[in-house]
Amino acid sequence: MAFYEKQLAVKEPLVVAGRHVKRYEVVTPGLEITDDIRDAACAFLPAIYPDFDDPTPPATVTVLHRSAAGMYLNAYNWVWDNVLHCRTAVSGDQPFLGSTDPDLTHFTVIPKDLIGCVWELPPLAHERTAWVRHVLEPDTPDFDGYLGDVMAEGLVGR
């Protein structure tokens, strides 16, 4: 498999089902993520939130990734103050990941323990550092500062 860089975009944060969502998108050259796919991903997102109560500020980082094979939606949810809870979803005809519907707006939970590919992980390095800097280190956590601290757009993968 040949490696090439993909484009990383940052989208406006949203509140979805009570969680503050910082949104990244990764796109394979020549493809795009359309608004109907974004809307479907946001609507599906609560299905991959943590299924337990937690007093941590309700923050989620998503990476919505468009590849030639289909779509991937990674939800990295902050829990227990300093732990990332991860669930992922897929759309497109990818039976090995549990999706057989070719419609890119029909997401389903991936039944495998996956956390992200080489293009999806760079935002996590940034988010880990931002969480420490804004939430864990200060005497008074700066949740708004964390929400506004995002990785720069551009090529991603190296």
Side-chain angles (χ1 to χ4, degrees):
M1 171 183 264
F3 178 82
Y4 52 91
E5 297 225 271
K6 296 186 179 189
Q7 190 66 37
L8 176 76
V10 178
K11 299 300 179 185
E12 286 294 319
L14 300 173
V15 176
V16 178
R19 293 187 71 86
H20 296 267
V21 181
K22 292 174 75 172
R23 302 183 305 148
Y24 294 95
E25 292 183 354
V26 173
V27 180
T28 298
L31 299 176
E32 68 176 325
I33 298 175
T34 56
D35 285 340
D36 61 330
I37 294 171
R38 283 184 193 97
D39 292 345
C42 282
F44 190 82
L45 193 54
I48 53 178
Y49 281 167
D51 55 2
F52 50 88
D53 289 332
D54 180 66
T56 303
T60 296
V61 176
T62 62
V63 178
L64 184 60
H65 181 179
R66 175 74 191 267
S67 77
M71 294 298 307
Y72 309 95
L73 173 61
N74 302 336
Y76 305 105
N77 307 283
W78 286 108
V79 297
W80 303 328
D81 293 331
N82 59 11
V83 173
L84 274 177
H85 166 277
C86 178
R87 283 204 181 121
T88 55
V90 62
S91 67
D93 190 14
Q94 300 180 72
F96 62 98
L97 292 176
S99 179
T100 56
D101 186 338
D103 188 330
L104 296 180
T105 64
H106 293 170
F107 285 90
T108 187
V109 174
I110 294 177
K112 300 180 182 328
D113 298 328
L114 306 173
I115 63 166
C117 71
V118 298
W119 295 283
E120 297 160 355
L121 295 177
L124 281 185
H126 175 89
E127 291 300 323
R128 179 250 176 230
T129 301
W131 188 259
V132 169
R133 181 173 45 252
H134 296 288
V135 177
L136 298 180
E137 281 183 339
D139 291 336
T140 302
D142 180 8
F143 190 59
D144 289 335
Y146 167 72
L147 293 174
D149 187 339
V150 295
M151 185 174 172
E153 294 184 330
L155 294 176
V156 67
R158 291 206 185 269

